[in-house]
Amino acid sequence: LQSVKLHSANLVGANLRNCDLRNADLRFANLRGADLRGANLKGCKFDGAVLHDAKLDQTIDSTPVPTSPACNVPNVTVSIASSFVNGLWISSNTVDVVEGESVSYAIRLTSRPTSQVRVTPGLSSTLIQTPSSLTFDQSNWNVSQSLKLTAQDDVIRQGLRSVQLPHQITSADLGYSSLTGPTVTIQIFDNDVASVTVSRNNGTVTEGVGSFCYQIMLTSSPVAPVRVDMSFDSTALSLHPSSITFDSSNWNLPAVVTVTTMDDLTFTGNRTSVITSTTTSLSESFNGLAGANVSVFIIEASVPSFRVSPTILNVTGGGQQQYYYVSLTSKPLEDVKLDFSADSYVTVTPTSLTISGSTWNQPQMISVHGVNTMIQEAPHNST
């Protein structure tokens, strides 16, 4: 309708939305209730026009037009506040995403621009944006476009963290280029687990003989060094090393722990001893963690028995006494009482002996004396 002449036309309720009415002659036209939103009204003549209840999104000034030498049409000024405000509409101001996964949110303009508008999200080392920018113009300004965010999957345990993502607006439209784009908060949920893992949770070792090994490492990279301390029964086991420190350079390199046990020479039987581990770190995620337990089955090497030396004595009835010595082969947990008995041909001194944990390996002397029976007899054995 560019330059069309609609002088005194009846346009009550006309839908002229988004029409090109540049330089149109609308003087004295009846535009009551007409919809002129989005129309290009540059150079239009509205002198004397009826604009009651008309819908406009801009201000229109009219100038007087003389209708006769004695009468002038007064100025009519119509000021209509636009219902559209320049800005960006974003579907959410806070977006949640898990490491390694993607999420999208929508953006559109809140009013028709006069020139192309480009919206560019800020850069982040932890996020990948697709596309890198969104473009709006007069044809798609009110159509939502999606911005896809992918949280990069790392191996670092950082916990929940937030990224502030600003949006830059670029346009030749001063109404948009002067705007500061909104900021969206991106909450990134960590998918890395902070824990200590071991290659095996059990092993077997014989007292004083051999050893076994297991490996230990972290399940994710820490943001601060992590010390893992092993706790164990030092009277039964020996560990090398008993403390290991991991950091971002070696967290996934298995550290070898060697387990041995000493022969305590005490008979306690086969038994199980447990190795536990705890962590210490300035990293909150890794501090105070309990690692997996390692159960160690210890085979007893000591045998509960006696040592007797010598085992053969030669005595003469009524003659000089002879001696032998007794000790234990392993340290007892309680006192051990030995009772001695013999036949009528010999006497034993003492007849009872108590061996304690402090004297178990000290030979105790036993005296044997032949009894003179006053009878002529051939040599014989006595036990």
Side-chain angles (χ1 to χ4, degrees):
L1 298 178
Q2 183 176 346
S3 301
V4 69
K5 295 182 179 180
L6 297 172
H7 187 283
S8 302
N10 184 7
L11 298 173
V12 175
N15 184 0
L16 299 174
R17 189 168 184 172
N18 299 324
C19 287
D20 187 354
L21 295 169
R22 284 176 293 175
N23 302 315
D25 186 354
L26 295 170
R27 289 178 295 172
F28 302 101
N30 188 352
L31 293 167
R32 180 187 295 268
D35 189 350
L36 294 169
R37 288 176 294 179
N40 189 343
L41 303 178
K42 184 177 181 181
C44 286
K45 300 176 181 179
F46 284 95
D47 302 286
V50 178
L51 294 168
H52 185 68
D53 293 330
K55 299 176 182 177
L56 297 96
D57 53 9
Q58 52 195 291
T59 298
I60 299 172
D61 292 322
S62 65
T63 57
V65 177
T67 57
S68 69
C71 181
N72 289 329
V73 177
N75 290 346
V76 177
T77 301
V78 180
S79 298
I80 307 295
S82 175
S83 59
F84 294 90
V85 179
N86 294 340
L88 290 186
W89 175 87
I90 294 182
S91 58
S92 178
N93 291 323
T94 302
V95 178
D96 297 341
V97 63
V98 179
E99 279 187 350
E101 298 182 10
S102 300
V103 68
S104 298
Y105 62 92
I107 299 176
R108 59 177 169 80
L109 304 187
T110 59
S111 65
R112 181 189 303 274
T114 59
S115 298
Q116 188 181 82
V117 177
R118 176 172 294 175
V119 179
T120 304
L123 297 178
S124 171
S125 60
T126 58
L127 296 171
I128 300 175
Q129 298 105 320
T130 307
S132 59
S133 65
L134 303 175
T135 300
F136 298 92
D137 55 29
Q138 293 184 353
S139 65
N140 71 344
W141 64 274
N142 58 350
V143 179
S144 296
Q145 298 187 44
S146 293
L147 180 66
K148 180 180 178 182
L149 300 178
T150 301
Q152 299 195 55
D153 192 2
D154 56 26
V155 294
I156 303 173
R157 175 60 184 179
Q158 300 163 294
L160 176 64
R161 57 198 185 278
S162 295
V163 175
Q164 302 299 315
L165 195 66
H167 294 75
Q168 181 182 4
I169 301 175
T170 305
S171 177
D173 184 336
L174 297 180
Y176 274 97
S177 63
S178 62
L179 295 179
T180 299
T183 297
V184 176
T185 299
I186 313 298
Q187 293 192 128
I188 303 175
F189 290 82
D190 203 339
N191 64 353
D192 299 299
V193 178
S195 64
V196 180
T197 182
V198 296
S199 59
R200 58 190 297 185
N201 55 19
N202 60 75
T204 301
V205 66
T206 301
E207 279 188 344
V209 181
S211 62
F212 81 90
C213 299
Y214 68 92
Q215 297 175 333
I216 185 171
M217 64 181 183
L218 304 184
T219 57
S220 60
S221 179
V223 295
V226 179
R227 190 180 76 242
V228 181
D229 295 309
M230 272 68 77
S231 299
F232 56 95
D233 182 0
S234 59
T235 64
L237 300 174
S238 176
L239 265 65
H240 180 75
S242 60
S243 179
I244 302 171
T245 298
F246 295 98
D247 55 29
S248 59
S249 66
N250 68 344
W251 65 272
N252 58 346
L253 301 178
V256 178
V257 179
T258 302
V259 182
T260 59
T261 183
M262 66 289 296
D263 188 354
D264 57 5
L265 303 177
T266 301
F267 181 78
T268 53
N270 297 338
R271 59 203 182 276
T272 298
S273 186
V274 178
I275 302 171
T276 62
S277 60
T278 56
T279 63
T280 303
S281 177
L282 293 178
S283 170
E284 183 178 351
S285 298
F286 277 96
N287 188 48
L289 295 179
N293 293 343
V294 178
S295 179
V296 183
F297 183 70
I298 303 172
I299 299 176
E300 179 62 67
S302 302
V303 178
S305 185
F306 306 95
R307 291 189 182 96
V308 177
S309 179
T311 57
I312 298 176
L313 295 177
N314 294 316
V315 297
T316 302
Q320 188 176 6
Q321 60 187 358
Q322 298 294 317
Y323 305 94
Y324 71 93
Y325 297 87
V326 177
S327 63
L328 304 183
T329 58
S330 62
K331 183 179 179 180
L333 297 177
E334 303 289 344
D335 290 349
V336 177
K337 182 182 179 183
L338 301 179
D339 293 317
F340 302 96
S341 61
D343 56 24
S344 59
Y345 292 103
V346 295
T347 59
V348 180
T349 305
T351 58
S352 179
L353 178 65
T354 300
I355 300 178
S356 67
S358 61
T359 61
W360 66 275
N361 59 348
Q362 299 175 10
Q364 306 295 316
M365 186 176 66
I366 308 300
S367 173
V368 179
H369 185 268
V371 177
N372 188 355
T373 62
M374 306 301 289
I375 300 174
Q376 179 69 37
E377 296 178 288
H380 58 278
N381 293 329
S382 183
T383 301

